[in-house]
Amino acid sequence: QVQLVESGGGLVQTGGSLRLSCAVSGRSASTYAMGWFRQAPGKEREFVAGIMRSDIITNYADSVKGRFTISRDNAKNTLYLQMTTLKPVDTAVYYCAAAEIISTVGPRTRIDYWGQGTQVTVSS
């Protein structure tokens, strides 16, 4: 059974930065395209960023382009999300996701595995 465990969330001021990590266990991370989603209170879960099995192709939600960077280290079975210039609207629980597909994870990808989430709070 594949497990995804996020870490790195926390409280940060507007304009600050955080780096989220997602540790993959149970199977090699290189088996999966991966991504990050988030869910703010009272809202539906939304796509943030995706990356192919290798790190050749990435994609981002328009709301985070130029501020967030997704990356992966398959040797460490770890996915990352570097977040900069954070805004209060970025406040949400962030979820790591894995899909056994050839392309990259996107907003309509059928996800095979989810992490438990990590809270990111951006204060104004």
Side-chain angles (χ1 to χ4, degrees):
Q1 182 71 11
V2 174
Q3 287 191 321
L4 308 178
V5 179
E6 302 95 335
S7 60
L11 174 64
V12 65
Q13 292 186 332
T14 296
S17 300
L18 280 175
R19 188 174 84 153
L20 305 183
S21 298
C22 173
V24 181
S25 62
R27 202 172 175 188
S28 174
S30 61
T31 303
Y32 302 97
M34 300 196 70
W36 291 95
F37 291 73
R38 67 186 181 185
Q39 188 167 18
K43 296 189 176 181
E44 293 187 354
R45 189 174 300 188
E46 65 174 2
F47 168 76
V48 174
I51 189 167
M52 288 183 70
R53 294 182 183 187
S54 64
D55 56 2
I56 294 175
I57 295 178
T58 59
N59 62 320
Y60 298 90
D62 288 343
S63 59
V64 306
K65 278 181 183 175
R67 301 188 298 122
F68 291 10
T69 303
I70 188 171
S71 63
R72 64 190 299 162
D73 185 339
N74 287 338
K76 295 183 178 179
N77 275 345
T78 304
L79 175 73
Y80 303 100
L81 185 68
Q82 179 68 49
M83 306 185 293
T84 64
T85 320
L86 283 160
K87 308 173 182 179
V89 294
D90 296 317
T91 295
V93 177
Y94 283 70
Y95 297 90
C96 175
E100 197 167 352
I101 59 175
I102 296 174
S103 60
T104 186
V105 167
R108 283 177 280 280
T109 300
R110 186 184 67 85
I111 299 299
D112 294 308
Y113 299 100
W114 292 97
Q116 85 288 350
T118 185
Q119 176 70 46
V120 172
T121 303
V122 185
S123 64
S124 57

